[in-house]
Amino acid sequence: MKKVFIMCIFTVLIIASGLVYFNIQTGPYDSSSEKQVLVDIKKGSSLDSVSEILFEKKLIKNKLFFKITAKVNNMDTGIKAGLYKINQSYSNKEILDILNSGKVYKDLVKITIPEGFEAHQIADRISDSGLVDKGKFMDLVNNPSIFSENYTFLNEEDILSLEGYLFPDTYFFDKNYSEEDIINVMLKRFDQIYTDEYKKAQNEKNLTLNQVITLASIVEREARLDKERSIIAGVFYNRININMPLQSCATVQYILGERKSNLSFNDIKIDSPYNTYKNSGLPPGPIASPGKKSIEAALYPENVDYLYFVAKKDGSHSFSKTYNEHLKRKAENESE
């Protein structure tokens, strides 16, 4: 009888301990925090994907227990899409109440920055939304040292500005954000994208971050098709290896400040370190903000024998090993 009693006490203690642990795991991520985190729940998101987002945003401690809480409270199928502002001091149940209510956070401005935008174009788009003063924004862009304390990748000596490091993405900016706040959001996104795996590939190539992003930005501006990005990167590496100028029209367009479809003879003779018709190797810095696929192309170029490529009317490219073959492909494309 005594053994049975002890076993019962032991069982009760285990159950009680389990409940305490469950309550801790489903309680606030940080009960003393006043930090509010923006969470974007896409339409059709599953409970699994929602729990993953909340876990990554440091709003819940345990994905499994969050899902159990949702199911036990019949709140697993009522989660509504939208942008929410959630405090780290909220419990799992409180978070679910918000997500099921559909009371989205509205005091934000949605801005999409496309891949290949230059810093001044980014400034234009954000200033057009009434969020920033373009002049102040560009002053900050041209002073990367202001942000280097928070982003160690900016400490490299060859990084001259934030051109190329304002990551292209869709953002939800608070209307009260300053120019510096917005730049911080974009730099943080770049820091998230540029993983340790990328850093390892960069080091194996004995390149600086600035060289990688500079090449990626040129690939971004030259390539239209994702499948061709790594090939184009391979062509540029081949040219660099034999000290042959990259001859990228995109770099001259960057100097001109306009994207002319056809460059003149005088255009390609412009005296500038960004003119890759006159200078071998990479220009001093990026010419635009590259997306993830262009960064990957710069880090993992395709091993090709090509030295030339020419754009076709459908947006793809013809690749050639010799100059004579290149001239032939160019003539064929022009006659199409």
Side-chain angles (χ1 to χ4, degrees):
M1 190 71 178
K2 186 176 180 181
K3 289 183 178 180
V4 173
F5 178 74
I6 292 173
M7 286 298 295
C8 288
I9 294 296
F10 186 67
T11 302
V12 169
L13 288 174
I14 291 176
I15 294 172
S17 297
L19 288 173
V20 170
Y21 180 74
F22 182 83
N23 287 332
I24 292 173
Q25 291 297 303
T26 59
Y29 183 87
D30 183 351
S31 58
S32 63
S33 175
E34 295 182 0
K35 182 178 180 180
Q36 292 183 309
V37 181
L38 292 175
V39 179
D40 186 21
I41 305 299
K42 304 295 184 185
K43 187 175 182 180
S45 294
S46 66
L47 184 60
D48 283 337
S49 63
V50 171
S51 63
E52 184 67 40
I53 292 169
L54 295 174
F55 185 77
E56 288 179 358
K57 294 282 188 178
K58 296 183 178 181
L59 289 169
I60 63 173
K61 298 176 180 178
N62 189 297
K63 291 181 284 186
L64 175 61
F65 287 175
F66 175 81
K67 289 185 281 188
I68 291 173
T69 302
K71 290 182 180 295
V72 168
N73 289 279
N74 295 318
M75 303 177 84
D76 54 320
T77 59
I79 295 174
K80 297 175 176 61
L83 187 71
Y84 297 88
K85 199 169 190 178
I86 302 174
N87 199 303
Q88 281 188 321
S89 64
Y90 292 168
S91 69
N92 285 196
K93 177 63 167 54
E94 289 173 318
I95 292 173
L96 285 162
D97 284 336
I98 293 171
L99 298 181
N100 275 258
S101 72
K103 294 179 180 178
V104 296
Y105 183 62
K106 296 180 179 179
D107 197 23
L108 295 172
V109 178
K110 179 181 178 181
I111 295 179
T112 297
I113 306 299
E115 290 90 349
F117 255 34
E118 297 171 30
H120 73 89
Q121 292 176 299
I122 294 172
D124 282 337
R125 177 155 294 192
I126 299 175
S127 64
D128 286 346
S129 298
L131 291 178
V132 301
D133 176 274
K134 182 181 178 180
K136 290 180 181 178
F137 188 90
M138 290 305 299
D139 284 344
L140 290 169
V141 167
N142 292 319
N143 287 280
S145 60
I146 294 173
F147 303 90
S148 59
E149 185 176 342
N150 293 327
Y151 305 98
T152 55
F153 63 84
L154 293 175
N155 288 320
E156 292 189 5
E157 292 182 1
D158 58 345
I159 294 179
L160 306 176
S161 79
L162 299 181
E163 183 78 84
Y165 299 95
L166 303 176
F167 193 77
D169 206 342
T170 295
Y171 295 96
F172 295 90
F173 293 127
D174 193 300
K175 291 180 180 178
N176 296 314
Y177 277 3
S178 66
E179 289 82 1
E180 191 167 343
D181 290 332
I182 288 175
I183 288 175
N184 269 309
V185 170
M186 301 182 78
L187 290 175
K188 184 177 181 181
R189 184 66 181 134
F190 177 89
D191 205 17
Q192 291 170 338
I193 291 295
Y194 204 81
T195 62
D196 288 341
E197 181 184 336
Y198 290 175
K199 293 171 187 174
K200 181 181 177 182
Q202 171 196 320
N203 291 332
E204 287 173 351
K205 284 187 161 33
N206 197 29
L207 297 172
T208 66
L209 174 63
N210 193 56
Q211 288 172 324
V212 171
I213 301 305
T214 298
L215 178 56
S217 71
I218 297 174
V219 170
E220 185 66 63
R221 292 282 290 106
E222 292 283 0
R224 290 190 183 180
L225 305 180
D226 288 342
K227 65 181 181 180
E228 291 187 349
R229 295 184 193 278
S230 61
I231 302 174
I232 290 174
V235 172
F236 286 139
Y237 272 109
N238 289 343
R239 289 191 165 208
I240 290 171
N241 290 337
I242 61 173
N243 203 34
M244 178 181 177
L246 298 185
Q247 296 182 334
S248 167
C249 294
T251 62
V252 178
Q253 291 168 340
Y254 183 71
I255 302 165
L256 295 172
E258 61 175 309
R259 299 186 175 182
K260 294 173 65 175
S261 55
N262 293 300
L263 298 178
S264 69
F265 181 76
N266 288 332
D267 290 337
I268 63 175
K269 290 296 182 181
I270 293 174
D271 187 18
S272 167
Y274 282 88
N275 187 347
T276 57
Y277 279 85
K278 289 189 69 173
N279 307 294
S280 298
L282 293 167
I287 60 170
S289 288
K292 185 176 180 180
K293 290 178 181 177
S294 290
I295 293 173
E296 289 177 345
L299 290 169
Y300 311 105
E302 196 155 329
N303 186 17
V304 294
D305 296 328
Y306 305 128
L307 282 174
Y308 305 91
F309 61 89
V310 61
K312 298 166 70 174
K313 292 181 180 178
D314 63 0
S316 64
H317 290 83
S318 294
F319 297 89
S320 307
K321 297 178 183 179
T322 67
Y323 186 62
N324 286 336
E325 186 182 352
H326 171 65
L327 292 177
K328 183 180 178 182
R329 295 283 180 268
K330 188 176 180 180
E332 290 172 351
N333 292 334
E334 289 175 350
S335 63
E336 287 181 354

